């Protein structure tokens, strides 16, 4: 994967800040415990601090590098002429990786531009990244809700989504989002959803919609948000 030229921020920045703050506090408590000659507490706090710091390092790696490597590998299957939709494209991490492979195609990103789930998330930042990556001529950005997509039935050959659908808080809303993705995907089209929450439910929903060619798999350690307990799963499906 070539070096990225855009600026992609941090996923869920408050979660990363929480891990870093927790590590600092635990290590500070370890220092205080040793000063007060309470070695058992000092060791416990130190181990906890190192553990939390390691989790923060894992999270930082995933958001800045690991997820790009995983998605670059997944998108190698693109042939170059597809119409692709990224649900919750954010600053374009996945959208622009895809656009690089769509010399004869088109990449569309839809987002509500919330900064809660990604730092600095706004349409202008994504457009700037598209220019930086040299793909602005094949990228379209749309402001919208993934539960009510403003596209025609069967409009896209490929639909991707990375760590977005879980941000819809209620199960009914997540089901609606998947139903909308299914609606705008053409028959025979490919859907790739990466998420660290609710992946089994996504698989079940797609089966309920009539998809038989669907599977769920671990995305690997490059997509851990702190450790294997926050691992990302990939749901891959073909619309019949």
């Amino acid at each position: 994967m070539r070096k990225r030229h855009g600026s992609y921020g941090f996923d869920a920045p408050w979660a990363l800040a929480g891990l870093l703050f927790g590590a600092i506090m635990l290590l500070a408590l370890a220092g205080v415990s040793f000063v007060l000659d309470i070695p058992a507490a000092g060791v416990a706090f130190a181990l906890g601090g190192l553990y939390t710091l390691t989790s923060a390092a894992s999270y930082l790696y995933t958001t800045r590098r690991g997820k790009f490597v995983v998605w670059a590998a997944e998108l190698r299957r693109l042939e170059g002429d597809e119409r692709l939709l990224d649900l919750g494209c954010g600053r374009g991490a996945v959208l622009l990786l895809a656009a690089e492979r769509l010399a004869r195609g088109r990449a569309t990103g839809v987002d509500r531009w919330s900064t809660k789930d990604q730092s600095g998330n706004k349409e202008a930042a994504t457009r700037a990244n598209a220019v930086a990556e040299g793909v602005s001529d094949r990228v379209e950005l749309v402001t919208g809700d993934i539960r009510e997509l403003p596209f025609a039935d069967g409009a896209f050959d490929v639909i991707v989504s990375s760590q977005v659908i879980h941000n819809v808080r209620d199960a009914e809303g997540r089901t609606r989002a998947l139903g909308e993705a299914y609606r705008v995907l053409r028959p025979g089209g490919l859907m790739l959803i990466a998420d660290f929450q609710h992946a089994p439910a996504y698989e079940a929903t797609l089966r309920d919609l009539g998809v038989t060619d669907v599977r769920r798999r671990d995305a690997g350690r490059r997509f851990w948000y702190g450790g294997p307990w926050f691992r990302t799963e990939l749901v891959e499906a073909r619309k019949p």
Side-chain angles (χ1 to χ4, degrees):
M1 188 187 73
R2 74 170 180 83
K3 177 178 169 37
R4 311 310 297 156
H5 299 291
S7 176
Y8 296 96
F10 298 87
D11 297 335
W14 291 109
L16 177 59
L19 285 171
L20 291 170
F21 179 76
I24 291 169
M25 291 300 297
L26 287 167
L27 292 173
L29 287 170
V32 171
S33 297
F34 285 123
V35 167
L36 296 176
D37 197 23
I38 314 174
V43 169
F45 283 129
L47 290 175
L50 291 173
Y51 176 85
T52 307
L53 189 61
T54 300
S55 295
S58 167
Y59 193 115
L60 184 62
Y61 169 77
T62 291
T63 195
R64 300 296 286 179
R65 173 69 178 173
K67 67 179 182 183
F68 292 92
V69 175
V70 173
W71 273 108
E74 293 295 329
L75 294 170
R76 284 177 191 152
R77 70 187 79 189
L78 295 178
E79 296 181 1
D81 59 355
E82 293 92 342
R83 299 161 299 166
L84 177 142
L85 174 65
D86 185 357
L87 302 176
C89 63
R91 293 169 66 165
V94 180
L95 178 72
L96 304 183
L97 277 174
E100 289 175 4
R101 294 187 168 273
L102 298 175
R104 304 176 306 282
R106 191 81 178 162
T108 300
V110 60
D111 205 295
R112 297 177 67 182
W113 315 112
S114 168
T115 56
K116 177 182 177 182
D117 302 309
Q118 186 176 66
S119 64
N121 186 22
K122 55 185 177 180
E123 184 177 346
T126 311
R127 292 194 183 281
N129 284 341
V131 172
E133 304 294 359
V135 295
S136 59
D137 60 326
R138 63 191 78 160
V139 170
E140 179 182 2
L141 299 178
V142 176
T143 299
D145 189 329
I146 63 172
R147 294 166 294 185
E148 193 173 350
L149 294 172
F151 308 112
D153 296 359
F156 297 96
D157 304 298
V158 180
I159 292 179
V160 298
S161 184
S162 188
Q163 306 294 1
V164 169
I165 299 177
H166 74 263
N167 293 319
V168 179
R169 298 306 178 190
D170 59 292
E172 180 182 355
R174 293 191 293 272
T175 298
R176 283 177 55 198
L178 288 167
E180 279 289 272
Y182 182 84
R183 178 183 66 79
V184 302
L185 183 66
R186 69 162 175 82
L190 172 67
M191 188 182 300
L192 282 171
I193 300 170
D195 215 322
F196 70 87
Q197 289 183 307
H198 312 303
Y202 302 159
E203 180 184 7
T205 296
L206 290 170
R207 291 191 186 280
D208 289 342
L209 288 168
V211 180
T212 56
D213 186 4
V214 57
R215 63 192 179 108
R216 176 168 47 91
R217 52 192 165 87
D218 189 344
R221 62 180 177 80
R222 292 182 183 275
F223 226 142
W224 289 353
Y225 282 88
W229 47 91
F230 277 128
R231 74 183 191 279
T232 296
E233 290 187 295
L234 279 164
V235 177
E236 178 178 341
R238 286 273 180 188
K239 184 174 180 177

